Amino acid sequence: DDFSADDTDYAEKVAAWSDEDVLALAKLKLPKEQSGRMSELAEKVQCGTISKVEENEQEIYLEIYNNANLRKAHGIVEAVKRGVINSPDDLK
């Protein structure tokens, strides 16, 4: 999936998806490598040891993370609307 923030009619696109695809979007998680690297960078920020290059890398990861969470929210809303799940707690 494309995680660009430019797509203003994403909710309409998701509404046209199958229940299976909507549920998969609702369960979206970043790959372990990316989330692990984000944790490493956050730790470096806390320790004050992050380099300028790593700061830039962290900004990119945060943008990806935020956009992915926005897309995930669209999936959750659509899944609840369809009755595929009752609430986000059903995804746990």
Side-chain angles (χ1 to χ4, degrees), residues 17-66:
W17 292 4
S18 70
D19 287 353
E20 182 180 305
D21 288 341
V22 168
L23 194 55
L25 181 62
K27 293 178 178 180
L28 180 69
K29 292 184 181 179
L30 289 180
K32 286 184 181 185
E33 282 181 16
Q34 286 184 353
S35 61
R37 182 62 178 153
M38 285 179 67
S39 295
E40 289 173 18
L41 294 170
E43 190 174 314
K44 287 186 169 208
V45 168
Q46 287 183 335
C47 294
T49 58
I50 194 165
S51 71
K52 189 66 177 163
V53 170
E54 289 170 327
E55 282 180 8
N56 291 336
E57 181 184 4
Q58 184 187 37
E59 285 180 26
I60 291 167
Y61 278 126
L62 287 174
E63 186 174 336
I64 291 168
Y65 177 79
N66 290 334

Side-chain angles (χ1 to χ4, degrees), residues 14 22 26 71-83 85 88:
V14 172
V22 168
R71 298 297 170 97
K72 179 178 180 163
H74 283 296
I76 291 169
V77 167
E78 185 63 28
V80 169
K81 193 185 302 183
R82 293 180 185 192
I85 59 173

